[in-house]
Amino acid sequence: MKVVYTCFCTDIIHEGHLNIINEAKKLGEVIVGVLADAASIRYNRFPSISLEERINLVKEIPGISHVIVQNEIMYDEIFKKIHPDYIVHGDNWSIPSMQAIHQNILNLTKKYGGELIEIPYTHNKSVEQMDHQMIEKLAMPEFRRGRLRKLLKMIPIVKTIEVHSGITGLIAEKTVVVDGEAIDQFDCMWISSLCDSTEKGKPDIELVDMTSRFRTIEDVMEVTTKPIIFDGDTGGLTEHFVYTVRSLERMGVSAIIIEDKTGLKKNSLFGTEVEQTQASIKDFSEKIAAGKKAQLSDDFMIIARIESLILEKGMEDALERARAFVKAGADGIMIHSRRKEPDEVLEFCDRFREENKDTPIVVVPSSFNTITEEELAEHGVNICIYANQLLRAAFPAMENAARSILKYHRAKEIDSELMPIKQIITLIDEL
């Protein structure tokens, strides 16, 4: 019999999938691939059930010969492994990521033989409702909250981008880049204190209260599904911090990062140019322990941000604090630096990893921005946060538009640099 292959990247089986299987069975022996977790994430499809559960879901479909795991989005491994006579796929090739997959399959059939059979995509209210419910499930607080911990187990490094509004949340949610046959996207979102304050026209000194900052989280959560890491500054008084933890956990936030400083907050990139006081190891450890005691689920993470390198206290002080904060219950360590080169951050990561293989390390490469995610991962970094780039990109663009309108007394000259209104409308989904 001819070998027929199709691949599913879904947590539910609906009539569209069954239609593909029925068409495939007409052609020969049907083998179904289930896309692996790490590949699904790059494809902007976060699994809400385990790989084993997804495999069992497919196995229950009558008429399937074998179920295998497809480890990569592209089909090279499949062609080498099972030499399919037919690849059966829906004809939903409109978006760039699907176009890249389409071209990959065509290239492989030309190289190895075989034929791509395209099945019209099933469009009806039932299928659309099921697809919508699957997306809504990803947005639910109880699922979103645990997503960061799952990501840390699935992929080498969690790519995190700053968002400060619903529209920037949509950019983080929907931006997918296709580079040849590589498909990539962001995994997580960072609610930055600096960006939240700047967006509101306020200085970055913890002036914006938590109620206002929680409103930003709600705006983002209403239109996205990806996990959120919250910039908690110093965490405030320990007595207040425990309530912040409970509130964030209830909302579905995955993690809070708090820095080991005390007194009036100043942005870390000022370093020793302004007066900044580091909290004692004892006091900050007690704050971490209090926060961990207050949380109700195992999903939520409290990550300790160490300012020793920023304040030029030295590597040994940073490592001593890291050990103490992990002992106090910290679920991760963020190490920060304002140097243009990543050397001291990488030294910290290497030395910390020598004695601690498991605690996640978080890095924010704002000043040392030449280093790649791959290089950071090689030194044991688990989360890379691009902490302010969207806001910094927006401000000069908006200022340029304002200047052009003032100069020419009309909007025509700037129009070619603006996003078309139709593109904005299609970016935002209607229920």
Side-chain angles (χ1 to χ4, degrees):
M1 293 181 69
K2 299 287 187 180
V3 175
V4 186
Y5 181 79
T6 189
C7 180
F8 286 165
C9 176
T10 183
D11 298 344
I12 55 175
I13 300 296
H14 54 57
E15 59 185 280
H17 301 112
L18 296 177
N19 181 49
I20 286 177
I21 294 296
N22 290 332
E23 293 300 318
K25 285 192 291 186
K26 297 175 183 178
L27 300 170
E29 178 187 11
V30 179
I31 300 175
V32 179
V34 176
L35 197 60
D37 289 341
S40 296
I41 294 164
R42 296 278 72 82
Y43 180 56
N44 209 8
R45 296 287 190 277
F46 190 88
S48 63
I49 58 177
S50 69
L51 177 61
E52 184 179 358
E53 289 172 311
R54 300 201 306 280
I55 290 171
N56 290 333
L57 199 67
V58 174
K59 282 182 176 179
E60 292 176 0
I61 303 173
I64 294 175
S65 174
H66 300 290
V67 179
I68 63 175
V69 176
Q70 182 170 324
N71 292 304
E72 303 292 339
I73 298 172
M74 300 303 171
Y75 282 64
D76 300 69
E77 174 192 11
I78 296 302
F79 271 81
K80 292 175 183 177
K81 187 175 181 179
I82 66 173
H83 306 289
D85 297 292
Y86 298 102
I87 295 288
V88 178
H89 199 290
D91 64 352
N92 52 324
W93 307 115
S94 59
I95 61 175
S97 57
M98 294 306 301
Q99 291 167 11
I101 295 170
H102 186 218
Q103 189 59 53
N104 171 255
I105 296 172
L106 292 177
N107 291 342
L108 290 168
T109 55
K110 186 175 181 180
K111 180 178 180 180
Y112 293 101
E115 182 181 353
L116 171 63
I117 306 296
E118 300 176 56
I119 308 299
Y121 194 81
T122 303
H123 292 282
N124 60 48
K125 288 185 178 180
S126 175
V127 170
E128 289 173 3
Q129 184 179 12
M130 292 181 76
D131 286 341
H132 180 70
Q133 287 174 342
M134 190 163 62
I135 294 172
E136 286 297 307
K137 180 180 178 181
L138 294 175
M140 295 298 289
E142 61 271 20
F143 187 84
R144 192 197 295 250
R145 185 175 53 238
R147 189 166 165 178
L148 178 59
R149 284 194 184 274
K150 291 177 182 177
L151 280 167
L152 288 166
K153 294 177 181 178
M154 291 178 182
I155 54 179
I157 193 162
V158 177
K159 307 169 193 285
T160 305
I161 186 75
E162 165 265 321
V163 302
H164 53 269
S165 62
I167 194 69
T168 53
L170 281 171
I171 291 170
E173 182 84 3
K174 295 190 173 188
T175 301
V176 178
V177 170
V178 178
D179 183 7
E181 293 189 350
I183 300 174
D184 211 353
Q185 52 126 10
F186 291 107
D187 307 300
C188 189
M189 298 177 290
W190 166 247
I191 304 286
S192 159
S193 173
L194 166 64
C195 296
D196 213 357
S197 300
T198 304
E199 177 72 8
K200 294 174 174 62
K202 307 291 185 182
D204 183 29
I205 55 173
E206 293 185 272
L207 179 62
V208 179
D209 63 28
M210 281 297 171
T211 302
S212 179
R213 297 205 60 208
F214 288 171
R215 181 63 232 178
T216 301
I217 295 174
E218 290 170 354
D219 288 344
V220 171
M221 283 186 161
E222 284 177 1
V223 296
T224 64
T225 65
K226 294 184 178 180
I228 289 173
I229 302 174
F230 183 75
D231 179 2
D233 288 325
T234 65
L237 296 173
T238 299
E239 293 82 359
H240 297 174
F241 179 59
V242 295
Y243 286 97
T244 301
V245 167
R246 283 279 182 92
S247 296
L248 293 172
E249 187 180 24
R250 184 169 58 249
M251 294 170 77
V253 171
S254 295
I256 184 172
I257 297 182
I258 54 172
E259 58 193 80
D260 59 349
K261 290 192 298 194
T262 187
L264 180 64
K265 182 254 176 107
K266 295 286 186 181
N267 191 278
S268 293
L269 296 182
F270 284 122
T272 56
E273 295 171 16
V274 298
E275 186 177 348
Q276 301 193 68
T277 305
Q278 203 168 13
S280 71
I281 291 176
K282 178 178 179 295
D283 288 348
F284 198 70
S285 294
E286 289 175 355
K287 184 179 291 187
I288 293 168
K292 293 304 295 180
K293 185 178 179 181
Q295 73 181 69
L296 299 176
S297 75
D298 294 330
D299 294 333
F300 189 75
M301 300 176 69
I302 297 176
I303 298 172
R305 170 173 161 174
I306 296 172
E307 296 288 280
S308 299
L309 302 183
I310 288 283
L311 300 176
E312 299 180 3
K313 297 291 185 66
M315 188 64 64
E316 297 306 324
D317 183 75
L319 289 165
E320 181 185 1
R321 286 173 176 271
R323 297 183 197 104
F325 299 158
V326 170
K327 187 175 180 181
D331 300 292
I333 295 294
M334 175 180 157
I335 187 65
H336 207 20
S337 170
R338 64 185 187 127
R339 290 188 183 178
K340 296 295 184 183
E341 299 298 328
D343 302 29
E344 65 175 359
V345 165
L346 297 182
E347 180 186 347
F348 173 90
C349 294
D350 291 341
R351 292 184 61 180
F352 183 69
R353 276 286 172 258
E354 286 177 4
E355 53 189 86
N356 186 317
K357 304 295 184 186
D358 301 319
T359 301
I361 298 176
V362 183
V363 164
V364 180
S366 296
S367 54
F368 50 98
N369 56 18
T370 57
I371 196 165
T372 65
E373 295 154 5
E374 184 179 12
E375 290 170 322
L376 288 171
E378 288 172 358
H379 290 269
V381 174
N382 306 95
I383 301 175
C384 175
I385 299 178
Y386 298 99
N388 46 47
Q389 280 76 10
L390 292 186
L391 181 71
R392 287 164 56 200
F395 186 89
M398 290 189 290
E399 186 178 48
N400 183 45
R403 286 181 180 277
S404 177
I405 292 169
L406 284 175
K407 181 178 180 179
Y408 296 105
H409 309 286
R410 64 181 188 179
K412 182 181 185 301
E413 283 72 17
I414 196 64
D415 199 65
S416 62
E417 298 181 39
L418 305 181
M419 175 185 281
I421 293 175
K422 185 177 180 181
Q423 193 172 341
I424 292 178
I425 294 170
T426 55
L427 177 68
I428 301 170
D429 296 324
E430 293 184 14
L431 294 178

